[in-house]
Amino acid sequence: MTMIELMNDSLCFSFPQVHPCAKLGISFIRTLRIPDDGAAYPNPPRLGAFPMVHVDDYESSVPAQWLEWGGVMLPMYQSEALLVQFDPGKTRYPFAVKLAAGKINALTGDAWTNDLTPHPQDYAVSPPQEEISGYCVGRGVVRQFIAMPLGLGSTAEEQLAGNPKYGGVQVCAYPMKAEAFERFSKSPDEFEVMTGVNEEQAPFHAKMGLGLGGLLGQNVKLDPFGYDVWDRQNRSRCFVHLTDSALWTAITGQDPPVAPPRAMHYNLAGLPYHEEIYAPTPVHEGSRILEKLRTIETQAGD
Amino acid sequence: MISKENVFGEFVREKRLALHQEDKNYSLRKVAMRIQVEPSYLSKVERGEQPPPSEAKIVLLAEDLGEDKDVLLALSGKVSSDIQEVIRKRPALFAQLIRDLKDMPDNAVLRIIREVRDGNW
């Protein structure tokens, strides 16, 4: 029986019917937004995992479509970014993982499919991949996942598919076939090289969708095992809905359990903080009626 | 061997008498009046001479004695109608689940695995 559990704000994929060790944790980590100034930045500080809840727990208050799509939801502020972190646990059982935002594949920009595609590779392999921080836009660089309200035309989904239908994040995990895992496990040195156990750490430390933020230095690694090792019949997928704080409160009746990152967090990280962008305050549009009235000065000129 | 009627009756009698020591409103007659049965009937139930009453009366009795209605229903050999409704929707699944849980320790039973549901998207 394939299953995904929500444990400690992490999606825990397990495939006991494939192999007892076939387990993978996927967390969504809060980070700061980096500037979009053309330079490639290292990963900014992490602020912990986004809190997640089952959409089924709020059956009466979530949008009806979310119940049809199932999954979990998390609150995201515009002053923060998201990275997807893989936790392969002690057994380091390899998985192929497809990741999409608004059903747009984060590695290829293609529309979502339930199968794996080897050319161009539309999945990450963990291990060795430890995390993905954004849309893969070039060799060694990604554009950070940042929260954008649907409807503004800013998300990858809206720019590529034309309408803000899905939003959110979609993940699908495919375990390595058991015989392939056993085969690789019999040559532990080779397995360690492939899964990166000994690899040095990289030097860098309303409804929402994910837009493209600044550039981050990050390698999305090519499949070191080969397409045939993945058990494509046993997959498990999850829709992760994103809400802004107002929608979260409307659905759950409570404020989001975490506060948004403030200027202080950005200052400590040496990153610029843009009040107008990250913490916008609604302003009145003004009155079309009053706009047409003349001022004392113009009247005096008559 | 103690019959299930006696288990239920003895439990009710024990709880009622404990309360009666502190509060005279828990006499046989007053409890029977509040759950709208004859005192002689409740007396026979407590002594195991009559089978336990209906689900509705057991729920009233549980509320009156401050006990868990599901515990009292279980002691009477009944399952509350709301739980029956849940089981009726997926009888094979719940029957298997309960059999699987039969010998598990309490701490394991408390951690029921809950799957994140995938939908149609």
Side-chain angles (χ1 to χ4, degrees):
Chain A
M1 185 173 68
T2 298
M3 70 172 76
I4 310 174
E5 290 174 81
L6 183 54
M7 294 172 68
N8 301 322
D9 293 324
S10 179
L11 295 174
C12 301
F13 292 75
S14 58
F15 296 80
Q17 80 282 22
V18 174
H19 195 284
C21 297
K23 295 179 181 176
L24 177 72
I26 298 182
S27 304
F28 299 87
I29 305 296
R30 305 169 62 225
T31 66
L32 300 178
R33 285 174 60 161
I34 54 164
D36 183 8
D37 56 9
Y41 284 78
N43 255 328
R46 292 151 197 254
L47 305 174
F50 281 97
M52 290 192 284
V53 295
H54 293 261
V55 293
D56 290 340
D57 287 351
Y58 298 94
E59 196 176 23
S60 60
S61 50
V62 293
Q65 191 109 57
W66 290 17
L67 292 176
E68 185 189 336
W69 295 339
V72 296
M73 64 178 187
L74 62 84
M76 191 171 177
Y77 299 103
Q78 280 185 258
S79 56
E80 59 195 4
L82 175 150
L83 76 81
V84 182
Q85 179 175 284
F86 305 119
D87 176 12
K90 288 179 183 171
T91 57
R92 299 184 68 76
Y93 196 100
F95 278 81
V97 182
K98 284 185 78 159
L99 177 65
K103 291 186 70 174
I104 298 297
N105 190 288
L107 304 190
T108 64
D110 292 328
W112 178 270
T113 62
N114 282 328
D115 203 359
L116 295 174
T117 303
H119 307 294
Q121 182 181 312
D122 67 351
Y123 57 92
V125 176
S126 174
Q129 193 77 37
E130 295 177 342
E131 61 197 26
I132 292 182
S133 305
Y135 295 98
C136 186
V137 294
R139 187 183 297 275
V141 284
V142 299
R143 282 220 176 259
Q144 200 177 27
F145 291 133
I146 58 172
M148 293 302 294
L150 290 181
L152 300 181
S154 307
T155 64
E157 174 187 10
E158 289 165 283
Q159 293 181 53
L160 290 171
N163 59 20
K165 185 175 179 186
Y166 293 101
V169 178
Q170 296 77 34
V171 290
C172 188
Y174 308 73
M176 180 179 271
K177 291 174 183 169
E179 61 269 25
F181 178 69
E182 297 294 345
R183 189 169 71 245
F184 285 120
S185 297
K186 283 175 184 164
S187 53
D189 290 344
E190 185 188 1
F191 187 66
E192 285 181 2
V193 170
M194 284 182 162
T195 62
V197 170
N198 294 328
E199 187 181 346
E200 286 185 15
Q201 293 293 312
F204 306 132
H205 289 298
K207 299 176 192 174
M208 307 286 278
L210 292 179
L212 290 80
L215 284 173
L216 275 170
Q218 185 173 73
N219 290 316
V220 177
K221 295 164 185 170
L222 289 176
D223 184 350
F225 300 105
Y227 182 68
D228 292 336
V229 305
W230 305 114
D231 189 340
R232 289 150 52 217
Q233 305 307 314
N234 284 292
R235 62 169 183 256
S236 201
R237 55 179 216 165
C238 183
F239 199 118
V240 183
H241 305 268
L242 308 180
T243 76
D244 65 6
S245 57
L247 182 56
W248 178 273
T249 303
I251 291 172
T252 66
Q254 295 177 329
D255 290 335
V258 290
R262 299 289 186 194
M264 177 190 71
H265 296 95
Y266 280 83
N267 290 339
L268 286 172
L271 294 169
Y273 181 77
H274 303 293
E275 185 79 35
E276 288 298 314
I277 301 172
Y278 298 165
T281 304
V283 292
H284 199 289
E285 291 179 357
S287 163
R288 295 273 166 83
I289 297 169
L290 295 174
E291 182 190 35
K292 292 172 185 162
L293 301 181
R294 298 166 67 196
T295 65
I296 299 293
E297 183 121 353
T298 53
Q299 284 179 322
D302 287 346
Chain B
M1 183 180 167
I2 301 170
S3 71
K4 69 185 177 190
E5 286 84 356
N6 271 350
V7 172
F8 176 83
E10 285 174 6
F11 182 86
V12 169
R13 182 175 174 79
E14 187 180 308
K15 295 294 175 188
R16 186 184 59 74
L17 289 178
L19 290 167
H20 189 239
Q21 283 188 339
E22 306 290 327
D23 186 344
K24 299 304 172 198
N25 281 318
Y26 285 92
S27 67
L28 186 75
R29 189 176 59 83
K30 289 189 174 175
V31 171
M33 191 174 66
R34 286 197 293 271
I35 67 168
Q36 296 170 356
V37 296
E38 291 295 325
S40 59
Y41 171 70
L42 182 57
S43 173
K44 286 178 181 173
V45 168
E46 285 190 352
R47 285 184 276 121
E49 293 170 7
Q50 281 277 357
S54 66
E55 179 185 342
K57 295 296 180 197
I58 291 175
V59 170
L60 284 175
L61 188 57
E63 286 172 1
D64 197 74
L65 299 178
E67 294 297 321
D68 187 319
K69 70 180 173 71
D70 287 320
V71 171
L72 242 60
L73 284 166
L75 289 174
S76 74
K78 299 179 196 293
V79 177
S80 69
S81 47
D82 61 326
I83 292 176
Q84 287 183 40
E85 181 62 26
V86 170
I87 294 170
R88 262 198 295 273
K89 285 183 179 168
R90 291 180 286 181
L93 183 66
F94 278 103
Q96 185 61 45
L97 177 65
I98 290 166
R99 286 192 185 98
D100 289 347
L101 295 176
K102 178 169 59 86
D103 296 323
M104 277 195 185
D106 285 358
N107 61 338
V109 176
L110 285 173
R111 194 193 159 281
I112 297 286
I113 291 171
R114 184 179 175 200
E115 193 171 358
V116 175
R117 182 177 61 83
D118 186 25
N120 180 27
W121 48 268

